[in-house]
Amino acid sequence: MSIRSSAEWGALESHFASVKDTHLRDLFAADPGRGDTMHAEAGDIYLDYSKNRLTSETLQLLLALAERADLRQHIDDMFSGKKINVTERRAVLHTALRAPRDAVIEVDGHNVVPDVHEVLDRMAAFSERVRTGDWTGATEKRIRNVINIGIGGSDLGPAMAFEALKNFSDRDMTFQYVSNIDGTAFVEATRGLDPAETLFVICSKTFTTLETMTNAHTARNWVVDTLGDAAVEHHFVAASTNSEEVARFGIDTDNMFPFWDWVGGRYSYDSAIGLSLMVAIGPERFGEMLAGFHAMDEHFRTAPFDRNLPVLLGLIGIWYNNFFGAETVSILPYDQYLWRLTSYFQQLDMESDGKSVDRSGDPVDVQTGPIVWGQPGTNGQHAYYQLIHQGTKLIPCDFIGFAKPTHDVGDHHNLLMANYFAQPEALAFGKTREEVEAEGVPDHQVPHRVFRGNHPTNSILVSELTPHTLGQLIALYEHKVFTQGWIWDINSFDQWGVELGKVLANRIIPVLDAAEDPDLDHDSSTNALIRRFRRLR
Ligand code: F6P
C-alpha cells in the first residue's frame, strides 16, 4: 500500500488544512518558548527547527508517518548489510567505511570491516610516503601537485571536503580536481605544473566513465610526453572497484586502492575515493573525519526519532515537499570553506531521491526528491535572497553556521554570523505594512517594502569547522536523504536516470568526427544542431 493511502498521511493532510495559513509570528506569539524547545542536538551539531511552519502536533503526526513507514527497521536493515538497493541487489554500507576496527558487518556472510581497515591502512601508508617525500616521481623529484581525476561521486566528495578542510592541508602541495570532459578543465589544472612533480589519482568506481577515462588518458599522455612510458607507475594511482580496467590503463594494481559494490558513488568519499583528501590533510585528520561520520551514524541508528537530527530534517523536508508543495530546498552554509557543499549535496540528494517509481517499480503517487540549490552566505544574500524574501515561491532553507571562526580576522566572524542569525529571523517574521508605514516610508513604496515573512528555515549551528564536524554534517544529510527515500518508498541507491544521455552521446561521437557529411537519424532538432556544429567547428 502506498504511504499516501495510509491513515497517517491522511491525518497530515487534514492537519495541513488547519495550519497551512498560520504565520510564524502567530506560532511564536502562542508559544514564546518554542525557540528553546524545538531543537535537537547530536555531537557538535545543534539544530533549531522552531522557525518552521509546524506545531508540536505536526511533529507528532510526522513521527507517526515515520513509524508507519517502518523507518527504524529499514535503518537497521541498511546498517546490518541487507541488500536494500533492490534494483542492483546490493547492500548499502557507506556506514561500514567509518565503522571502528572491531565492528562486525557482514555481506553474504563475510565481515567487511577488516577489508575496509586494510585499505585505510594502505591509504595511510601511501599518503605518508607522498607527504614526507618518500614517494617520488620518475625523476626522483618530490610530488608537489596532486590532481584527482573523477566525476560525480568520484570528484564531488573529495573536492568538497578538500575545500572544506583546506586549512588542515599541506600548504606546500597543490590539490586540484579535474572532472569535466571539457579539455579546459585539464589544461587549466596542469598549467605551469611540472609533470615530474605531479601525481594523478584516477578515481572511478567503474573505471569506464567516459569523462574520467578521457581525462585520465590525456593526463597519461601529458606525463609520458615528458617523462616516457616508464613514468606512469610513479605518477598514477587509482581508486576503483575494477582492477582489470585499472591494469589495462597501465596502473600497477599495487597502486590501486579498492572499494566495493556496496559503496554508492555519491556515498564514497570515505573510501579510497578520498585518497587525495587523505594526502592533503594526513591520515590522522582523515581518521577524525571518519569518526565524525561514525558518531552521526550512531546517533541516527539509536536516537529516538523525536530527537534524531537526520529524521527530523527528513520529516520537516517531507512536510514542505509533500504538503506545502515546495519544489526546492536551499542549503546555505555561512562558511567560505564550504563553497562546494551545496554542489555535493545536489548529487547526494537529487541523484538519490530523484525517482518516479517506487521500490516495486510502480509509479509513485507522491512528490519525491526536491531540487537542491544554494551557495555560501553572505554572497547569496546579494544575489538571489530577494526571491526567497519577496518572491511568490515557498523555499525552505537550511542555514549552516559555525560558532568559532577558522580565521579570526577583525570582526569578520561576528559580522558573518550576525547575517546568519538575521536572515532566518527576517524570513520568519518579515515586516508588516504597519511597521513599514510607521517608518515614514513614502506611500508608493509601502507595498514593495512589506516582507510577508512566514518563510521556513532550519538553523544548524556547529561548534567549528573541523574534520570531525564535517564528517558529522555530511552524515547528517546522507541520513536525511535516506529517511525521505524510505518514506517515499523509492530506491535512493540506484541512478538509472543518467544512463540514457550517456548512450545517446556515444551514438553521436562518431558522427561529429566523420570526414563526410553523415546521414543523421536523430530528431530534426538534434540533426540540425549537429549539422550546424560541424559547419562552424
Ligand atoms: O553517471 C552517474 C555516476 O554513475 C554517478 O553515480 C557516479 O558518482 C559517477 O557517475 C562516476 O562514476 P564512476 O565512479 O564509476 O566513474
Coordinates of all heavy atoms in Angstrom, one line a residue, residues 151-154 204-207 209 212 265-266 347 351 495 498 502, ligand 1:
I151 N 34.6 12.0 -11.6 CA 33.4 12.8 -11.8 C 32.3 12.3 -10.9 O 32.3 11.2 -10.5 CB 33.0 12.8 -13.3 CG1 32.1 14.0 -13.6 CG2 32.4 11.5 -13.8 CD1 32.0 14.4 -15.1
G152 N 31.3 13.2 -10.7 CA 30.2 12.8 -9.8 C 30.7 12.4 -8.4 O 31.6 13.2 -7.9
G153 N 30.3 11.3 -7.9 CA 30.8 10.9 -6.6 C 32.3 10.7 -6.5 O 32.8 10.8 -5.4
S154 N 32.9 10.5 -7.6 CA 34.4 10.3 -7.6 C 35.1 11.6 -7.7 O 36.4 11.6 -7.8 CB 34.8 9.3 -8.7 OG 34.2 8.1 -8.6
S204 N 37.5 6.2 -10.1 CA 36.3 5.8 -10.8 C 35.9 4.5 -10.3 O 36.6 3.5 -10.4 CB 36.5 5.8 -12.3 OG 35.4 5.3 -12.9
K205 N 34.7 4.4 -9.8 CA 34.1 3.1 -9.3 C 34.2 2.1 -10.4 O 34.7 1.0 -10.2 CB 32.7 3.3 -8.8 CG 32.1 2.1 -8.1 CD 30.8 2.4 -7.5 CE 30.1 1.1 -7.1 NZ 28.8 1.3 -6.4
T206 N 33.7 2.5 -11.6 CA 33.6 1.5 -12.7 C 34.9 1.5 -13.5 O 35.2 0.5 -14.2 CB 32.5 1.9 -13.6 OG1 32.7 3.3 -14.0 CG2 31.2 1.8 -12.9
F207 N 35.7 2.6 -13.5 CA 36.8 2.8 -14.4 C 36.5 2.7 -15.9 O 37.3 2.3 -16.7 CB 38.0 1.8 -14.1 CG 39.3 2.5 -13.9 CD1 39.6 3.3 -12.8 CD2 40.3 2.5 -14.9 CE1 40.7 4.0 -12.6 CE2 41.5 3.2 -14.7 CZ 41.7 3.9 -13.6
T209 N 34.0 5.3 -17.0 CA 33.2 6.5 -17.2 C 34.0 7.4 -18.2 O 35.2 7.7 -18.1 CB 33.1 7.3 -15.9 OG1 32.5 6.4 -14.9 CG2 32.2 8.5 -16.0
T212 N 36.0 10.5 -17.1 CA 37.2 10.2 -16.3 C 38.3 9.5 -17.2 O 39.5 9.9 -17.1 CB 36.8 9.4 -15.1 OG1 35.8 10.1 -14.4 CG2 38.0 9.0 -14.3
G265 N 28.5 5.6 -5.5 CA 29.4 6.7 -5.8 C 29.3 8.0 -5.0 O 30.2 8.5 -4.5
R266 N 28.0 8.4 -4.8 CA 27.8 9.6 -4.0 C 28.0 9.5 -2.5 O 27.8 10.4 -1.8 CB 26.4 10.2 -4.4 CG 25.3 9.2 -4.2 CD 24.0 9.7 -4.9 NE 22.9 8.7 -4.9 CZ 22.8 7.8 -5.8 NH1 23.7 7.7 -6.8 NH2 21.8 7.0 -5.8
Q347 N 24.2 16.3 -5.7 CA 24.3 14.9 -6.1 C 23.7 14.0 -5.1 O 23.0 13.1 -5.4 CB 25.7 14.5 -6.5 CG 25.8 13.1 -7.1 CD 27.1 12.4 -7.2 OE1 28.1 12.9 -6.5 NE2 27.2 11.4 -7.9
E351 N 20.5 12.8 -7.0 CA 20.7 11.5 -7.6 C 20.1 10.4 -6.8 O 19.7 9.4 -7.3 CB 22.2 11.3 -7.8 CG 22.5 10.2 -8.9 CD 24.0 10.2 -9.3 OE1 24.8 9.6 -8.5 OE2 24.3 10.7 -10.4
Q495 N 20.8 4.9 -9.9 CA 20.8 6.1 -10.7 C 20.6 5.8 -12.2 O 21.4 6.3 -13.0 CB 22.0 7.0 -10.4 CG 23.4 6.4 -10.6 CD 23.8 5.4 -9.6 OE1 23.5 5.5 -8.4 NE2 24.4 4.3 -10.0
V498 N 20.7 8.5 -15.3 CA 21.8 9.1 -16.0 C 22.3 8.3 -17.2 O 23.1 8.8 -18.0 CB 23.0 9.3 -15.0 CG1 22.6 10.3 -13.9 CG2 23.5 8.0 -14.5
K502 N 24.0 9.2 -21.6 CA 25.3 8.6 -21.9 C 25.3 7.8 -23.2 O 26.1 7.8 -24.1 CB 25.8 7.6 -20.8 CG 26.2 8.3 -19.5 CD 26.8 7.3 -18.6 CE 26.9 7.7 -17.1 NZ 27.2 6.7 -16.2
Ligands
F6P1 O1 26.7 9.0 -14.1 C1 26.5 9.0 -12.8 C2 27.5 8.3 -12.0 O2 27.3 6.9 -12.2 C3 27.5 8.7 -10.5 O3 26.6 8.0 -9.8 C4 28.9 8.4 -10.1 O4 29.2 9.0 -8.9 C5 29.6 8.9 -11.3 O5 28.8 8.6 -12.4 C6 31.0 8.4 -11.6 O6 31.1 7.1 -11.7 P1 32.4 6.3 -11.6 O7 33.0 6.5 -10.3 O8 32.1 4.9 -11.9 O9 33.4 6.9 -12.6

